[in-house]
Amino acid sequence: MNKIRKYRIGNPIQTDAVVEKIAIQKGKIPYLKKEEKSFVYQLNAEDRIYGLGENVRGINKRGWIYESNCADQPNHTETQHSLYGAHNFFVVEGKERFGVFIDYPGKLVLDMGYTRMDEIRITPEDWNLDVYIIEGKEILDIIKEFRTMIGRSYIPPKWAFGYTQSRWGYQSEEDIRNVVKGYRENGIPLDNVCMDIDYMERFKDFTINQETFPKFPEFVKEMEKEHIHLVPIIDAGVKIEEGYETYEEGVEKGYFCKEKDGSNFVGAVWPGRVHFPDFLNSNARKWFGHQYKILLDQGIEGFWNDMNEPAIFYSDKNLDAVMKKIKKMDNRDMDMWEVFGFRDLVNGLANNPEDYASIYHNMDGKKVCHDKVHNLYGYNMTRAAGEAFEELEPEKRVLIYSRASYIGMHRYGGTWMGDNQSWWSHLLMNLQMLPSMNMCGFLYTGADLGGFGADTTEDLVLRWMALGVFTPLMRNHAAIGTREQEAYQFIHKEAFKNIIGIRYGLMPYLYSEYMKAALRNEMLFTPLAFAYPKDEQAAKVEDQLLLGESIMIAPVYTQNAEGRYVYLPEKMKLVRMKSMTDIKTEVLEKGHYYVDIALDEVVFFIRPEKIVPYTVGGQYMEEAEKQELKTLDFVTKTAEYELYEDDGYEKDYENPKHYRTIKVEA
Ligand code: GLC
C-alpha cells in the first residue's frame, strides 16, 4: 500500500509542487475532519507538531496560529503569523503519527492549538485544494516520502558553500574592493560578495550603474582573480521607464500582471513605479528568465531574487486615495483617533490586501486573481531563473536563492531567511528554522548572520558565525544604516579568521552531507526528536540539531554566556575547535552537561562509530580543496564514511564516480 494518499476537493489550481503522479482517492480523508470552513484534528496532550517551513517559534510548532501568506515582513517577532514562505507541510507525532501537505496556493490559516489548545484547525479561503496524508513508521520516514514526492532539492555550485559577505550599501567597485581587501589582508577566508540594489542603475533589474561600476565585466574578472564571485540581487518589480528595454519588451509582449480591466498593474518598490512580471504565465516566465543572460554574459554565476512576495510599497490607485484623504487632514489639530487614523492610512499603503486582490494573472490563457495564487509568485520568479539557467547554462550549476517561496520552488533554488534583526533570539530562530525548512525540501538556506536590521555586537556576530559554519548558505548580511559587521571590523580578527576557517576545513563533510541529503531526499538538519524517537528527553530539545550522519551541533545563543547546557542522547565525542589546527576532543557519556564554549571556539559532537572528514581549510574554496584529507572520528571498532566529491559545477550528480569510501579502524 502506498504510504501517501491524495484527496482532491473542488477544482484546485495546479501549483507543480508535487512531481510524483499520485492517484486521487475517493472517500473520507483520514485524521482531518472536514467541517464547513475548516479541517479539524483533535490534539492529544502529548502531541507535537513539526514542519511549516519558514516560520517563527520553535521546532515544535504547537500552540500558535500560522498563516501561509508570503509576506514582506521584516519584523520576525514571535507574534507574527507569516514570514516570506508558504510551506503547508507538517507532521503530527504523539498518539497518532501522520504527515499532511495541503497543496493550496491561496492564504491558508493553520491554527496549531492556538484558539483551542487541543485542536488543529486549518482554514483555506475556498475549497479548491489537494490534501496529501502521509503515514510512516517514524517521522523521518514520513518526511522522506514527502520529499520524494516533491522532487529533488536544488543543488548549488560548490563555491556557493564558501563564506559570503553582503551588505545593502556597497555603492561602487571601490566599496567592494575594500571589503575583499579587508578580508584578504586579515587572512579571513571569503569566496563571495553579494551586490545589493546599489549596483543597479536607479534600481532597474538587469542594469549596471555605469558611474559606480564603469567596466563591470572587467570588474567581475578582477574579482575572479581574487577568487571572489559577485552575486547580484534581482527584484521582482520592473521600473516603468521609457527606453528601458526590460520594461518596454514586457509591455509590448503583455507579460506584466494586469488590473481587472486589462491595463498593467502599477505598484511601487525601490525604483518608484513598477510593473510586476507575470511569472505564472509560462511565456512571461521564459522571457524574464532569459533576462538573467544579460548578467551571465558579463561573467556572473549567481543571483538572489528579492521582494518577490511580491512586496509593494504602494499602488498608484491606493496612493491617490490616501493622498486625497491626507490633504483633507491638512492643518488640523489632530486628536488621538485622527493621529492613529493618519498613521494607519500611511502604514496601510504597503502590501495592501486590496492591491493584491486587484492584480490578475494570465495563467496560460486563464485569468486568475492574484489572491488565489499569491503564494506562487516568488516561487515562479525563481523557477523562471532556474528554467532559464537550464537552457542558458546546461553544463553548469548557477546559484540562485529567493526570499519568497512555496514548496516546489525547492527544486529550482534556495532561500535565505529574510530580514531578521541583530537579536540573540534570532540566532536561536535561525537554528530552529533549519529542520522545518529541510522538511519542506529547502536545503540550501541560511539566515543573515550577525542580523540584518539593527546594530549588531561583536559577540553576537561571533556566536552567529559559529552556527553559520554549518548552514549551507553562510552569509553575513546587514541593512543600510546599521553598524558595519564585516568580520574585519571587530577586534577579535583572529577569532573570526579561525571560525570562518573552520567552515572551510569542515567542507568535505558539509558538502558530502549536503549532496547526500539532496540526492536521497533526506534531512540535513535533524531535530533530536526525529533521530531518537524513543528518548523522551530528546523530544524536548529545541536548541540542538544533528547535522548529517555524524555530528550534533549545540551553538551558544545568549549573550555573555560562557557555554551552555547540552543534552547528549547517547555517548558522543565532544570536539572543541579553535582552528583547524587546534582541535581538542573528549568522550562524554549520555546525559546532561554544561559545556564551556569560549567566544572564539566552535564546539560540536561526533556520534558513535561516525567519521568527519576535514582538511586544514584555506582562504577560499579552491585553495581549501587542494588540502590533504584527514578525519576526525569516534570509532571504537571500524566504520566507513561515504565522501562525495565532484568539481562543484557538473550536474551528473548520480554518477558513482563521485563517491569514495573512507574507512577508519580504531
Ligand atoms: C530587502 C531584502 C534585503 C535587502 C534589501 C535591499 O529588505 O530582504 O536583504 O538588503 O531589500 O535590497
Side-chain angles (χ1 to χ4, degrees), residues 168 196-197 233 270 304 306-307 403 416 419 452 477:
W168 175 8
D196 208 316
I197 48 172
I233 196 169
W270 309 115
W304 43 315
D306 193 22
M307 306 300 269
R403 197 170 72 171
W416 88 99
D419 298 348
F452 173 77
H477 179 51

Side-chain angles (χ1 to χ4, degrees), residues 72 74 84 166-169 195-198 233 235 270 304 306-307 309 313 403 416-420 448 452 475 477-480:
D72 165 27
Y84 312 89
S166 183
R167 182 178 175 83
W168 175 8
M195 300 172 75
D196 208 316
I197 48 172
D198 324 275
I233 196 169
D235 284 311
W270 309 115
W304 43 315
D306 193 22
M307 306 300 269
E309 295 71 31
F313 291 171
R403 197 170 72 171
W416 88 99
M417 293 168 180
D419 298 348
N420 60 8
D448 289 351
F452 173 77
R475 184 178 85 147
H477 179 51
I480 196 163

